[in-house]
Every structure is written in C-alpha cells, then in structure tokens.
Amino acid sequence: MRGLDRLLRPRTIAVIGGGAWCANVIEQCQKIGFTGEIWPVHPSRDTVAGVAAFADVDSLPAAPDAAFIGVNRDATIDAVARLSARGAGGAICFASGFRESQEETGDGAVKQAELLAAADGMKIIGPNCYGLLNYLDGVALWPDQHGGEAVETGVAVITQSSNIAINLTMQERGLPIAYVITVGNQAQTGLSEIGVALLQDPRVTALGLHIEGIDDLRGFEEMAATARELGKPITALKTGKSEQARAATISHTASLAGSDAGAHALLARLGIGRVTSLSGLLETLKLLHVTGALSSGRIASLSCSGGEASLIADMAHGSGLSFPPLSDAQETGLRAALGAKVALSNPLDYHTYIWNDGAALERTFSAMMTEDLALGIVVLDFPRADRCSAEAWQPVINAVAGTQAATGRPMAILSSLGEAMPESVAQELVRLGIVPLSGMTEAIEAIDVAARIGRSRPAPEALLLPRNRTGARTLTEAEAKTALAAFGVRIPRAERVAGSDAAASAAMTLGFPVVLKGEGIAHKTEAGAVALALGSAQAVREAAEAMPTDQFLVEEMITDTVAELLVGVVRDPAHGYVLTLAAGGTLTELLEDRVNLLLPSTPEDIRAALNKMKLAKLLDGYRGAPAVHKGAIVDVVMAVQSFVAATHPEEIEINPLLCCTDGAVAADALIITGENHD
C-alpha cells in the first residue's frame, strides 16, 4: 500500500471531470497559491476552468501525485483503476452512491467493494467527501469555498462531515489551521491512518477530530500512541448514540454502557480530550497550539470587574479546574501593586485603579503567577472596532506579555463574549505566545480539557477487541453464577428446586434467613419473583406459591451488606468491551451513579473508578459506619474481566454485588453468550 505523503503534499494534481465542482477545485488551487502543475482530465473539452485539459488519465504527462475525482460513481471506479495503474499517489473520491446509500440503491456496498478493488494499493480518501485543504503547502483538493489562509505551523482537523469542515474553516478565532481533511465513508483510508500521517508532520502542533464513528480500534490506538510519542495532543468532538443502548431490554448494563459511554471511556483511556461543541473544539485546539497540554488544572484569573471574577468562578465550578487560595508571597506582591483598597483573592478583581498603568498591571499579574499555576487568565473583552477605540486595552496586552516573559508561566486573555475577541487581536496574541480565548463557557471547557490531557498516565494496554458473535443465549441465574464462580467470584450458597415444598426443604438445609427467587424471569423484582429475609419454612412456601413460576433458587441471605454495586460488561463493537461500575440494586436507576472503563483495566483503574462514584463515601464508611472491603470488589471485577477475556460473551451483569466488610458476594448475575465467528 502506498503512503499518504504524495496525496497530502502533492506537486502535481489531476482534476477528473468538467462540472462546476471540478472547476471549483482548479480555482481553489489557484486561489490558495498552489505552485505545482494542475492537469484537468475531460474526454471532450480542451480546457476546464481555463486550464488545458487531457482526454484521459493515460494521456497525462506523468503519474499525478494527487487527483480529485468529480464524476459519477461508476466513472469514479474506472478513474481510480486507471490512476492506480499509472502509479498515482492517491485520489479524493467526491461521488456519493456507495456504502452510505445501500438502503436506497441496493448496490452501494457492491460499488464500494469495486472501488476498493480498483484502488489496488493506491490511497483513496472517501468516497462521499469534499477532500482536503493543506494550508502549509498551498493545496486545495477541495470543490467549494473555504475560509482559511496560509500558515507556517498550525493544528490539523479531521472530520466525517464536509459541511462541518467548511464551517470550521470560516472561524474568526485566530486559530492557525494547517490541514482540514474530510474522510467520508472511510472505505479504505480512515480517520486513524490520516491522523497518524498528520501528526508526523513537524509543522502540525495538535490534532482535532470530529468523529461520528471509530473506523478501526487498533488504528485509533496507534494514532493515540503516535500523539503520545510526539507530544502532540488530540482533542475530539464525538457524536452519535448506539443501537446497542437503544436495544437494551433485559439488563441495566446495556443502557448504562451504550456507545456514548464506550466512546467516552475510549477517549479517556487514550488520553484524548473530549469536547462538547464545535466552538469548544476550536478553543481547545487554540490553547493546545499555543501552550500545549497544561500541567494541571490549577489556574488564576484576573479581571477589573467583580462580576467577571464571580462569573468565571461559577463557570469553572464542577469542572476539574481550581483557583488555589493566595499564598503569603502572592498576597504580599499583590498588595504592593494594588494598595490597600483591593480585596485580594483568586479569582482577583483588581479594579480599575491601575487600568492605564502598564507597569502596575504587569506587577499585579506577575505577583499572581507562581510556579504551581498551569495558566494565568486575564479577562478582557475588547470594544467594537467600528464604533469604539481599543487604544486603552493595549497596556493590558503588554502587561500580559511581560508577565509571561518574566514568570515563564503560560498566559491567556479571555473575552467573556465570543464576539468581544476580534480576529486581528487573536492573531496578534497567538504571535506573542498568548492564548486568545473567545467566550467564557468554551474557554473553561478548553482549559479543563487541556489539563486533563496533560495529566501523566502510563501508556494503556491494547484493548480487548470484541469478537463477532451470533446465536446469543441467556444463561439462568444459577448457570451464570456457577460460570463466574469458576473464575473466582464469590456467590451465595444455594439450591435449585422445583415446587414450593422443595423450596421450603432447601431453606431448612441452608439455614435461615434465606432469599427465594423465581427462575426463568428477566426482571425478577418487577415481576414479584424475589423474596428476601424469609425466616421460616412456611414463609418460604407461601412466597413460592405467590410467584409466577414453579422453578426456584433458594439462597443463603447475606446479612452484613454495607453497599450494593452493579458490575457489568457489554460487548460494544465500536469501542471494545465496556466495563460499568454503578450503584446497584434498586438504586441503579435512581442515582444514575456510574463509571465506565474499557477492558482490560488494571486494579488501579478500578479503584480510581470506585473513588469517582457518588457511593464512594458509603464504600469508605460514611459517618462512622464500617467500610467495605474494596480489595474484594476489585477482585470480583478482575475475575469478571478474566471471564470476558476467556469466553467473549455478549454481556455480563452482576446486580447487586453485595459489598461487605469482609468480602463481596454476587447476589444476582446475568450472562448472555454467543457463538464465536472470528
């Protein structure tokens, strides 16, 4: 397979087709300053967009480095075959009508297979995509307008939406963009492979992704590893929900660990920052371009307004960011710069006493910026250039630049409103090495994400990949518990019986109190098929006769339970095996207290996840109550993980896992198996 270098950075471009889209490609190449040769290809025209055309691919002067193919799907397949035979570097396939239209056309998948066969080792991007923009080298394999300009360094952006790609190029936030690439169907060359190639360009500082679906888990892991090795952070906007979550019917785990939970766990595991909006993506990329990932979430804010100080404190509440209290040294320096009238705090309202005093501003900002802070923020909204003058704002910029030079701490200027950061100012701040942040909500998200990315973590193990499964079968509770017990999960002593008399007899053998469960029922509690704390044979007999079954599981009752957890694993083809830890029993739906990880996870991962839960205080012993045996919980989760690695089920759920002071017991279990077809 040929590499991506020639396609991403071509010196010769073939444009195949004569319609408006192809004419636009030629015009955009000329507009962006492409200095290589452009070779239009059309069977009957002498020129396309004023450039001399060739009758076919075989007539070209040489094998082109890159081609934009703007013809229908059948002609696209033919063009790809001819380009590949000539040794072209790669092609953008603009046409639709492939896999994405399978339901409408009935032959989309077949046509996509034909396209891949035609490529025969030549790189193609798409089909059904706009192509790529390379602002570093002046390349526009792009059939429409765009808003970018030439840069020497910048961030790269990959998206699965061509329209979103156009919109991102129109940003006025001062973000230098090096590449924009759309991937369409990812028929051959996916987001992950392109991401690796872009990260390897020394002029690229960070990578931004808009993801609708992960193309290849191993490739995605490789991309993240490349970013880690090169010290280039990745941030992503992930959209889409899974059919898996919608199809959940008999367990809580599937609904708690749908595709979005899997995606979140995958990005966190690989050190990729997740944002929630396109504007958040742009602001995060801007911060990463200027400063790189942040060393921590410890920040300082300075503004000349108490309202702004309160607003940024509120905006950051609930995030991973903190405004550390002032040290004695900070207070001494700030008091010397500001005098006695200003109340000192972080965030700081430094008032307007020193507004026009550049030296005092710099002394103030420098006094705040100690070595333990990851970022200093000066809140500053600029006036409208068409109606007002920003002359008085320049001393603040100078003071921020001086502070950064004097203290060596990263600095940002943040406009609380997005429109209050003019593009010209933002671009100048980037040149000065100061982060221009536009909009307080997006800025807080960007800072939080940059801090999360910057946290030191060991390289993760390779994911346990899901296998293709069919013929799913749901084990009975007793079968599921027995299977898990073989891997070290502790289960209650129990007997399976038929009939109420046999249930009463089994209870006397086990010893009271006991739990009685009706078998063959998915949601036992809702169906009235669970009876707890039965203290006599007669109570067992009566409970059995009231249940909608004559098959029973009689179990010893665990009486020293401190807390109940849910431990579940779901096979998520897009992201791996998703491990869910959640509040268990009747609290599962009420508390919505859950953490999701991917397998394999380490004991340290599991302990950290337990500590993130709302139930953490209960597990640790709330208000003098005894603490649970956390080691036993971890052992159960690791045993479940071993079971998954050995058997590759569709789903497992232990709910509840009874957490006691001396152990953890699986009181109920569900396993859905399937035939392996890998």
Side-chain angles (χ1 to χ4, degrees):
M1 183 72 74
R2 303 166 208 171
L4 282 165
D5 286 351
R6 290 172 66 195
L7 178 56
L8 295 178
R9 294 172 283 276
R11 300 308 308 146
T12 54
I13 293 175
V15 180
I16 301 174
W21 295 111
C22 291
N24 285 343
V25 172
I26 295 171
E27 292 169 2
Q28 293 303 326
C29 277
Q30 294 168 337
K31 183 178 178 181
I32 204 172
F34 179 66
T35 58
E37 296 185 61
I38 302 173
W39 299 329
V41 176
H42 195 277
S44 60
R45 293 187 185 179
D46 293 332
T47 64
V48 176
V51 179
F54 298 85
D56 51 43
V57 170
D58 295 335
S59 302
L60 294 175
D65 291 326
F68 182 94
I69 306 174
V71 293
N72 66 53
R73 62 178 186 166
D74 290 315
T76 293
I77 294 169
D78 180 69
V80 166
R82 292 178 181 276
L83 286 164
S84 179
R86 284 218 63 181
I92 304 298
C93 297
F94 178 62
S96 59
F98 292 90
R99 187 182 59 197
E100 83 286 349
S101 65
Q102 175 63 29
E103 290 188 13
E104 292 77 18
T105 65
D107 64 351
V110 171
K111 291 298 180 183
Q112 187 147 310
E114 292 176 2
L115 178 69
L116 291 175
D120 190 28
M122 182 186 75
K123 288 296 184 183
I124 58 172
I125 295 179
N128 190 31
C129 77
Y130 259 31
L132 68 89
L133 293 161
N134 174 350
Y135 293 112
L136 296 164
D137 303 301
V139 177
L141 291 163
W142 192 261
D144 207 337
Q145 299 182 91
H146 60 89
E149 60 182 3
V151 297
E152 294 182 359
T153 64
V155 304
V157 177
I158 307 173
T159 170
Q160 291 178 249
S161 166
S162 296
N163 206 54
I164 284 177
I166 295 174
N167 297 340
L168 290 173
T169 72
M170 303 298 176
Q171 58 90 23
E172 299 180 8
R173 298 168 179 265
L175 172 65
I177 298 178
Y179 291 93
V180 174
I181 299 184
T182 63
V183 295
N185 285 8
Q186 305 184 82
Q188 178 213 71
T189 308
L191 176 149
S192 301
E193 183 179 354
I194 295 171
V196 170
L198 297 179
L199 287 165
Q200 290 172 339
D201 188 324
R203 301 166 296 177
V204 169
T205 56
L207 178 61
L209 308 174
H210 163 247
I211 307 170
E212 295 173 11
I214 304 298
D215 60 321
D216 168 42
L217 280 172
R218 284 287 180 255
F220 205 75
E221 288 180 298
E222 181 186 352
M223 179 184 66
T226 300
R228 180 190 296 272
E229 291 167 8
L230 297 175
K232 296 183 179 182
I234 305 176
T235 186
L237 173 61
K238 172 68 176 69
T239 61
K241 304 293 182 180
S242 84
E243 291 183 13
Q244 180 185 43
R246 291 194 296 270
T249 56
I250 65 172
S251 75
H252 295 103
T253 300
S255 59
L256 293 176
S259 182
D260 192 60
H264 189 82
L266 177 65
L267 296 175
R269 179 188 186 94
L270 298 180
I272 297 173
R274 188 178 188 183
V275 296
T276 59
S277 67
L278 289 172
S279 54
L281 178 67
L282 291 171
E283 291 304 305
T284 305
L285 286 171
K286 198 190 315 177
L287 176 57
L288 295 175
H289 171 75
V290 177
T291 71
L294 298 179
S295 59
S296 74
R298 294 169 60 86
I299 60 175
S301 172
L302 305 103
S303 64
C304 63
S305 162
E308 291 170 342
S310 298
L311 188 60
I312 196 169
D314 283 352
M315 289 281 188
H317 183 72
S319 72
L321 304 178
S322 65
F323 298 95
L326 298 178
S327 66
D328 290 343
Q330 285 173 306
E331 289 196 2
T332 299
L334 289 170
R335 183 64 67 205
L338 294 172
K341 294 182 180 180
V342 176
L344 303 181
S345 63
N346 181 22
L348 175 68
D349 166 20
Y350 60 82
H351 293 254
T352 55
Y353 302 126
I354 59 171
W355 174 249
N356 287 311
D357 188 339
L361 287 166
E362 185 172 335
R363 287 196 301 272
T364 299
F365 301 163
S366 295
M368 177 66 87
M369 293 310 299
T370 52
E371 290 185 359
D372 64 322
L373 295 173
L375 183 70
I377 303 162
V378 174
V379 181
L380 190 68
D381 284 58
F382 290 82
R384 293 177 57 128
D386 59 340
R387 300 177 186 174
C388 308
S389 169
E391 183 179 352
W393 275 249
Q394 189 60 45
V396 180
I397 296 175
N398 296 341
V400 171
T403 295
Q404 185 162 272
T407 66
R409 307 313 303 151
M411 297 293 294
I413 292 181
L414 186 162
S415 64
S416 57
L417 299 175
E419 59 267 33
M421 174 64 72
E423 183 177 22
S424 59
V425 173
Q427 291 172 331
E428 178 59 25
L429 292 176
V430 170
R431 283 191 286 270
L432 292 171
I434 299 168
V435 187
L437 295 172
S438 307
M440 196 170 285
T441 301
E442 299 95 321
I444 290 298
E445 179 177 53
I447 299 165
D448 191 22
V449 169
R452 292 178 191 274
I453 294 174
R455 290 175 185 165
S456 176
R457 67 194 71 172
E461 290 184 61
L463 287 168
L464 178 63
L465 296 185
R467 294 181 178 176
N468 294 323
R469 314 285 288 182
T470 58
R473 182 175 80 87
T474 302
L475 303 186
T476 67
E477 179 182 340
E479 289 173 333
K481 286 180 178 176
T482 299
L484 291 173
F487 282 79
V489 176
R490 179 181 163 191
I491 61 174
R493 293 182 296 111
E495 288 191 31
R496 298 177 69 189
V497 298
S500 59
D501 289 339
S505 176
M508 288 188 289
T509 301
L510 290 172
F512 297 102
V514 297
V515 176
L516 181 69
K517 299 176 181 178
E519 289 200 298
I521 300 170
H523 295 292
K524 295 183 180 66
T525 301
E526 291 86 339
V530 177
L532 305 175
L534 300 176
S536 68
Q538 183 61 26
V540 172
R541 187 176 292 105
E542 291 174 356
E545 291 171 352
M547 290 183 183
T549 181
D550 62 355
Q551 301 294 316
F552 303 101
L553 186 65
V554 186
E555 292 184 335
E556 68 168 319
M557 182 166 178
I558 308 301
T559 58
D560 59 345
T561 301
V562 176
E564 296 183 354
L565 290 176
L566 176 151
V567 177
V569 176
V570 169
R571 173 184 170 272
D572 180 349
H575 307 109
Y577 286 97
V578 182
L579 166 66
T580 298
L581 304 176
T586 58
L587 297 179
T588 298
E589 293 161 341
L590 291 176
L591 290 187
E592 295 185 354
D593 182 18
R594 63 183 181 273
V595 181
N596 296 105
L597 302 170
L598 293 176
L599 301 186
S601 291
T602 66
E604 293 73 24
D605 294 333
I606 296 163
R607 286 183 177 275
L610 292 171
N611 290 335
K612 292 178 182 177
M613 296 179 64
K614 298 173 186 175
L615 285 184
K617 291 183 179 179
L618 185 62
L619 299 178
D620 290 334
Y622 186 62
R623 292 191 173 182
V628 304
H629 191 319
K630 275 192 178 178
I633 299 173
V634 173
D635 289 343
V636 168
V637 178
M638 294 302 292
V640 168
Q641 178 170 277
S642 297
F643 178 86
V644 173
T647 65
H648 290 268
E650 284 290 312
E651 182 178 339
I652 294 178
E653 179 176 290
I654 297 174
N655 186 24
L657 178 70
L658 303 179
C659 305
C660 310
T661 58
D662 61 349
V665 184
D668 197 355
L670 167 77
I671 295 177
I672 303 177
T673 67
E675 295 298 323
N676 179 20
H677 289 273
D678 280 355

